[in-house]
Amino acid sequence: MTTTAMPVVDSGRAVNLFGDTYPVVLPSLRDPRSHVAAVLISVQVFGQTVLQFNLSIAQILLSVLLCAAIEIPMTMWDRGTLAWPASALLTGNGIALLLRTPGTEHGDWWSLNGWPVFVAAASIAVLSKYAIRIGRRHVFNPSNLGLVVVFLVFGAKWADPQELWWGPWRPGLVATVLLILAGGITLSLRVGLLDIVVSFWATFAAGIAVVALAGHAMVARWSLTPVEGLDYWSILVTSPEIIIFAFFMITDPPTTPDSRRARIVYSIGIGALAALLSATQTTEFGTKVSLLAALTVLCALRPMLESRLPDPVVGADGRRTRWPRLLRPVPLAGLTVAWVGLMVLSTNLVSDTLEPGVDQGTVVSFDAAGDRPAVETPGSLPTPEVRDNVAREANVDTAVATRVLEDVAADLAILSEALRKGDPEIARTASFGTHLTSTTERIDTNAAAGRSEEVLHTYDSAELVLLRDPISPQSVPQLGLFLTGTREDVSYSDPSGGQIDSRSTGEFEQVFLVTDVDGHWLIGDEMDPTDPMVTA
């Protein structure tokens, strides 16, 4: 996060520690870091109240206090002052704002789930300021480096960047975005770095547009289908996380070039590299880490940019030095080549395995549902409920849940008809994948035994759930319908289903995994309600 500071002003106080005297430097409201802190703290408050961040107060405090605890003695050693750790507090807050650990739920305020990840990120961030320097300036943005390292080392199973999509637009989210924009624009104007923000955003938006036009897509925990096209572009370039990154991370003065020429190339480089790296990723995790990694790379190149691209100098004749005329087309030509390469790369990386599912985030392709036979379903269906995380993370409401329930009730009736008639082609209009395979096997078994069967359902309750794989937290969620009611199994002693052999009735509780195929929600599999994927 931005660590801009006003010139140090001695408070006139001092303390004596271990025989040495240390001047005390207190916080100042004139310090731009106080401005940044006010914005980030406000975002955290919104996150804990109306945005429902999967982040605990304990995790925030751990990150912030650890950064401060490391910064204070390091400042005493490096500068000989006992200073208010303004930069460290911003670093800790920035890490907590962008870092998540799978398994942390909103409302579990004092959870320390994944605390080693927060400790690692905070420690690397602050210590890098003193360990990796050129002259008196640190090379890398502290919070950015700490986050990139933990994401690459711990991986998606243990660490996850804050999601790009913060949920459907609602008053709390609108207020948060307006706060970030207002605070970011004001700060950028104050420190004279708005040109960095504009250059980065324009380049990144153009690059992601090329990637989206090439047909690239990514899977995300909050989307039941691959994110592509206009949705891919708009979510990436307007995400609150991208706005925070643009206004409060890449504008860190100690890690940005001094000259305006170098700053423009620096910011364009971040945007172009972020888009290029995003084109190589088909998951949201990889896309977000690509964005952060782009800043890390350009921070490392900052000293070279400063030396090669100084600001124009006014000569004795009163003219400013300019780029040689022959070299002026080079930036435009280079950018054009980069965009063409980006489109080629994106096209080659479009994956055929981005369909959502349960196992590895994918399912095999299946035929269209076709013409569904007319069947009788229970005349009265319960009003379906929608779990909070389904409404929040998958943008699914009661109307969608009602349609899912109606289709699944019809699916089960169609599958019963397929079992009674011994016709697997009928089953293809109601199920696919694992569920279709098991139904076909039952039909074949019955045919070999010279019998048939049907399964009739009535329903007491229905609830739409989102299934997550606890072993692979980054995999795409699967929509499921949790049904309870009564099940009647009827067995016939002849293939035509004319002579009843046996009949049994009992209660049932089952979760049916569903996918929208050609306008119908078809059943892909069944799960027990106690399965960890259902309760995760």
Side-chain angles (χ1 to χ4, degrees):
M1 291 296 157
T2 303
T3 55
T4 309
M6 298 292 285
V8 174
V9 178
D10 195 335
S11 67
R13 302 176 183 176
V15 296
N16 189 283
L17 295 173
F18 309 109
D20 293 321
T21 300
Y22 296 91
V24 176
V25 180
L26 299 177
S28 169
L29 293 178
R30 295 181 302 160
D31 190 335
R33 292 174 297 188
S34 300
H35 180 135
V36 179
V39 175
L40 296 186
I41 291 173
S42 299
V43 174
Q44 292 283 29
V45 170
F46 277 111
Q48 293 296 315
T49 53
V50 297
L51 300 182
Q52 299 183 325
F53 283 173
N54 291 326
L55 176 71
S56 73
I57 295 175
Q59 290 169 333
I60 298 173
L61 292 177
L62 174 63
S63 180
V64 170
L65 295 179
L66 180 58
C67 284
I70 297 173
E71 174 90 340
I72 291 173
M74 294 302 295
T75 304
M76 293 172 63
W77 168 73
D78 184 56
R79 300 178 184 174
T81 61
L82 181 60
W84 172 255
S87 295
L89 295 177
L90 287 182
T91 298
N93 201 346
I95 288 172
L97 185 60
L98 299 182
L99 177 60
R100 300 291 182 268
T101 51
T104 304
E105 298 291 339
H106 173 73
D108 192 2
W109 312 119
W110 304 110
S111 170
L112 282 173
N113 173 55
W115 66 266
V117 180
F118 285 90
V119 169
S123 302
I124 293 169
V126 178
L127 291 175
S128 70
K129 293 171 56 178
Y130 302 93
I132 309 174
R133 288 185 174 186
I134 295 180
R136 298 294 297 174
R137 295 174 64 182
H138 50 272
V139 175
F140 297 104
N141 180 289
S143 56
N144 174 259
L145 182 64
L147 289 168
V148 169
V149 171
V150 298
F151 292 142
L152 294 179
V153 172
F154 285 93
K157 184 176 180 179
W158 303 104
D160 183 27
Q162 161 70 346
E163 293 172 340
L164 291 167
W165 186 66
W166 288 19
W169 287 104
R170 54 202 187 278
L173 180 57
V174 172
T176 303
V177 172
L178 290 177
L179 171 70
I180 297 170
L181 286 172
I185 292 172
T186 302
L187 176 69
S188 299
L189 290 172
R190 182 178 178 183
V191 298
L193 295 177
L194 187 59
D195 54 350
I196 287 183
V197 177
V198 175
S199 300
F200 158 76
W201 190 89
T203 306
F204 182 67
I208 292 300
V210 174
V211 174
L213 288 172
H216 191 69
M218 70 175 183
V219 293
R221 284 167 46 88
W222 39 265
S223 178
L224 298 175
T225 58
V227 183
E228 57 188 345
L230 181 60
D231 287 339
Y232 178 84
W233 181 87
S234 62
I235 286 173
L236 259 66
V237 302
T238 65
S239 167
E241 184 175 352
I242 301 296
I243 299 173
I244 291 172
F245 177 81
F247 280 110
F248 300 108
M249 188 170 281
I250 68 173
T251 56
D252 178 19
T255 58
T256 56
D258 289 331
S259 72
R260 187 172 188 275
R261 279 180 173 179
R263 284 202 304 269
I264 297 301
V265 174
Y266 167 84
S267 55
I268 290 176
I270 296 172
L273 184 58
L276 178 64
L277 294 176
S278 296
T280 68
Q281 304 298 316
T282 57
T283 66
E284 186 189 17
F285 177 86
T287 302
K288 291 180 291 188
V289 175
S290 295
L291 177 73
L292 298 173
L295 175 57
T296 304
V297 172
L298 267 295
C299 282
L301 296 177
R302 186 260 306 168
M304 182 194 70
L305 294 176
E306 286 181 328
S307 64
R308 300 293 179 88
L309 298 171
D311 278 331
V313 177
V314 178
D317 58 357
R319 296 182 178 181
R320 299 197 310 168
T321 59
R322 296 178 177 271
W323 287 51
R325 184 179 298 275
L326 291 176
L327 295 181
R328 291 177 191 175
V330 170
L332 180 59
L335 200 59
T336 302
V337 172
W339 284 169
V340 172
L342 198 59
M343 178 169 286
V344 173
L345 181 63
S346 300
T347 303
N348 290 337
L349 286 169
V350 172
S351 175
D352 293 329
T353 60
L354 286 179
E355 292 293 340
V358 179
D359 294 330
Q360 300 300 324
T362 63
V363 297
V364 296
S365 60
F366 46 84
D367 296 331
D371 296 328
R372 288 158 66 86
V375 291
E376 292 186 4
T377 58
S380 177
L381 295 175
T383 301
E385 297 182 1
V386 180
R387 287 189 183 176
D388 291 341
N389 68 322
V390 182
R392 182 175 70 252
E393 300 176 26
N395 197 21
V396 174
D397 56 20
T398 304
V400 174
T402 300
R403 178 63 184 276
V404 172
L405 173 58
E406 293 172 348
D407 280 356
V408 170
D411 291 340
L412 292 174
I414 290 171
L415 292 171
S416 179
E417 183 79 357
L419 288 170
R420 188 177 66 83
K421 293 183 176 180
D423 187 349
E425 293 303 315
I426 296 177
R428 293 181 183 277
T429 67
S431 65
F432 67 93
T434 303
H435 200 276
L436 177 60
T437 300
S438 64
T439 301
T440 302
E441 289 175 351
R442 288 174 64 180
I443 291 173
D444 292 342
T445 300
N446 288 337
R451 57 187 298 276
S452 62
E453 63 177 313
E454 63 179 334
V455 182
L456 308 175
H457 295 85
T458 57
Y459 308 103
D460 296 331
S461 68
E463 183 180 25
L464 210 59
V465 299
L466 206 60
L467 307 176
R468 298 197 182 282
D469 187 348
I471 305 301
S472 180
Q474 289 298 316
S475 61
V476 179
Q478 173 72 55
L479 201 63
L481 186 65
F482 180 15
L483 291 174
T484 67
T486 303
R487 165 178 169 153
E488 182 180 12
D489 291 88
V490 183
S491 176
Y492 298 94
S493 57
D494 61 280
S496 64
Q499 181 66 40
I500 295 178
D501 182 50
S502 64
R503 185 191 299 267
S504 63
T505 303
E507 296 181 351
F508 83 96
E509 291 185 346
Q510 199 70 41
V511 175
F512 297 93
L513 278 60
V514 297
T515 297
D516 186 4
V517 180
D518 290 345
H520 296 291
W521 291 92
L522 304 189
I523 299 173
D525 204 353
E526 297 183 19
M527 298 185 69
D528 189 277
T530 61
D531 189 285
M533 285 189 61
V534 179
T535 58

